[in-house]
Amino acid sequence: MIYTVTLNPSIDYIVEVEDFRLGGLNRMNRDLKLPGGKGINVSRVLNQLEIGNIATGFLGGFTGRYIKDWLAEEGISSDFVTVNGDTRINIKLKSGEETEINGAGPEISDTEAIALIHKLEALQKGDIVVLSGSIPPSLGKNFYDRLIAVCKQREAEFVIDTTGKPLQQALVHGPLLVKPNHHELAELFGVTINTREEIITYGRKLLEAGARHVLVSMAGDGALFITEQAVYYANAPSGQVKNSVGAGDSMIAGFVGTLSATGDVQEAFRAGVASGSATAFSDDLAARPFIEQLRSVIQVTQL
């Protein structure tokens, strides 16, 4: 079974305004409310791929109920810890450029944090846990370490999709996959990356630090997949980018879901790129027919 963990979910409130004027009255052309949070995005795309999964993390208040009801409507199993505060709302204002206003999220108590740890104690050998996104300040910077410790105790695999120190701390524990984009990879090592060869060099450093697979997205330039045995490149399919939210999460879903179903890393890489691209070209997250359409035009080449 695949589990996704979202520590700070949200309702993503997407608002389109033709000519936004700060300080004036603005009227929406269109708005959309979607369940947000990196792990929740992974669950929704896994569901499109018909890969069984359970979404967990923290939800609270009327906003949390909205997310839980949405997932249930889509047929996604969930097992969230209910918290006292309201799950946050993130505003995505589209008016020419996109402006984001992200909520802080609720305070998570020690009791609520321990309740999530207890839920993961039901993991079994071979399960995969996807840990995605930022850690709420109330949980402390090392909370992912506590969740990873449970995964290791239960002999479950884990995927980590975060940045900075939490990612660096997780590498020593041998994550199944890490997925920085090329900007995040450069930031992680405090360097400037200008070439594909430099991406491969620093991607291999993540392997040396403990990661088992490294997937680096390069937007319109495609993606690189780096293992101990080989380096693969996949082209980016052509299309109009509509959605900057969730493409990386969709890539993880496509990769992890296909790897768990087939064991084929190259096919998992192809599915990951197809899923990420399908989301980038859609208003919401990728739907299966579009993923399959793009999968057929993606070429994976060993470098």
Side-chain angles (χ1 to χ4, degrees):
M1 179 60 71
I2 299 174
Y3 294 80
T4 67
V5 178
T6 310
L7 301 180
N8 204 5
S10 66
I11 292 175
D12 286 345
Y13 186 31
I14 302 168
V15 178
E16 292 186 3
V17 178
E18 187 170 336
D19 183 20
F20 178 74
R21 297 182 181 181
L22 187 64
L25 175 63
N26 298 274
R27 298 191 184 279
M28 302 175 193
N29 293 338
R30 188 170 74 111
D31 73 314
L32 187 63
K33 302 177 189 70
L34 298 170
K38 295 177 71 63
I40 287 173
N41 291 341
V42 173
S43 275
R44 293 184 65 209
V45 176
L46 285 171
N47 188 56
Q48 284 292 319
L49 295 171
E50 299 180 357
I51 302 292
N53 71 96
I54 297 173
T56 189
F58 303 107
L59 289 178
F62 74 100
T63 45
R65 288 192 297 274
Y66 181 90
I67 293 172
K68 188 173 182 179
D69 290 346
W70 184 298
L71 297 180
E73 183 70 21
E74 289 191 353
I76 299 170
S77 298
S78 66
D79 187 21
F80 286 89
V81 174
T82 300
V83 300
N84 285 326
D86 290 343
T87 294
R88 62 183 177 156
I89 298 174
N90 292 341
I91 301 170
K92 317 291 183 183
L93 173 62
K94 296 176 180 283
S95 181
E97 294 182 333
E98 181 174 301
T99 300
E100 298 189 32
I101 305 173
N102 287 351
E107 292 280 321
I108 307 298
S109 70
D110 290 342
T111 300
E112 292 162 348
I114 291 170
L116 180 59
I117 292 171
H118 286 331
K119 286 185 182 295
L120 291 188
E121 289 173 351
L123 290 170
Q124 297 182 9
K125 184 176 180 179
D127 286 343
I128 300 174
V129 180
V130 180
L131 305 170
S132 299
S134 60
I135 304 172
S138 54
L139 288 173
K141 296 180 180 179
N142 298 324
F143 191 70
Y144 272 147
D145 288 344
R146 298 171 68 183
L147 300 184
I148 291 169
V150 178
C151 294
K152 303 297 286 186
Q153 290 166 4
R154 305 301 298 173
E155 298 185 75
E157 304 277 8
F158 77 95
V159 172
I160 184 85
D161 184 24
T162 188
T163 58
K165 190 172 181 180
L167 173 57
Q168 292 174 329
Q169 291 175 329
L171 289 171
V172 69
H173 300 293
L176 177 67
L177 175 72
V178 296
K179 192 218 65 62
N181 61 39
H182 57 300
H183 298 299
E184 291 167 341
L185 183 64
E187 184 178 343
L188 189 65
F189 289 99
V191 297
T192 300
I193 293 178
N194 297 308
T195 67
R196 182 190 295 181
E197 289 71 23
E198 290 172 335
I199 292 174
I200 294 170
T201 295
Y202 287 99
R204 282 179 169 148
K205 289 183 181 295
L206 295 178
L207 292 179
E208 293 168 3
R212 291 167 54 194
H213 302 96
V214 177
L215 207 171
V216 183
S217 54
M218 303 182 294
D221 293 325
L224 290 168
F225 178 53
I226 306 168
T227 73
E228 290 285 357
Q229 292 75 32
V231 177
Y232 301 93
Y233 168 77
N235 62 298
S238 59
Q240 180 185 354
V241 175
K242 297 180 179 179
N243 180 15
S244 63
V245 178
D249 310 323
S250 302
M251 181 178 279
I252 287 177
F255 180 91
V256 173
T258 303
L259 184 64
S260 68
T262 68
D264 185 329
V265 293
Q266 289 190 53
E267 194 55 39
F269 179 34
R270 189 193 316 276
V273 175
S275 299
S277 299
T279 287
F281 301 154
S282 303
D283 288 326
D284 190 8
L285 297 177
R288 180 168 185 154
F290 197 14
I291 294 172
E292 296 304 327
Q293 176 186 333
L294 293 181
R295 191 199 297 245
S296 65
V297 300
I298 291 171
Q299 302 296 320
V300 174
T301 305
Q302 183 172 343
L303 301 181

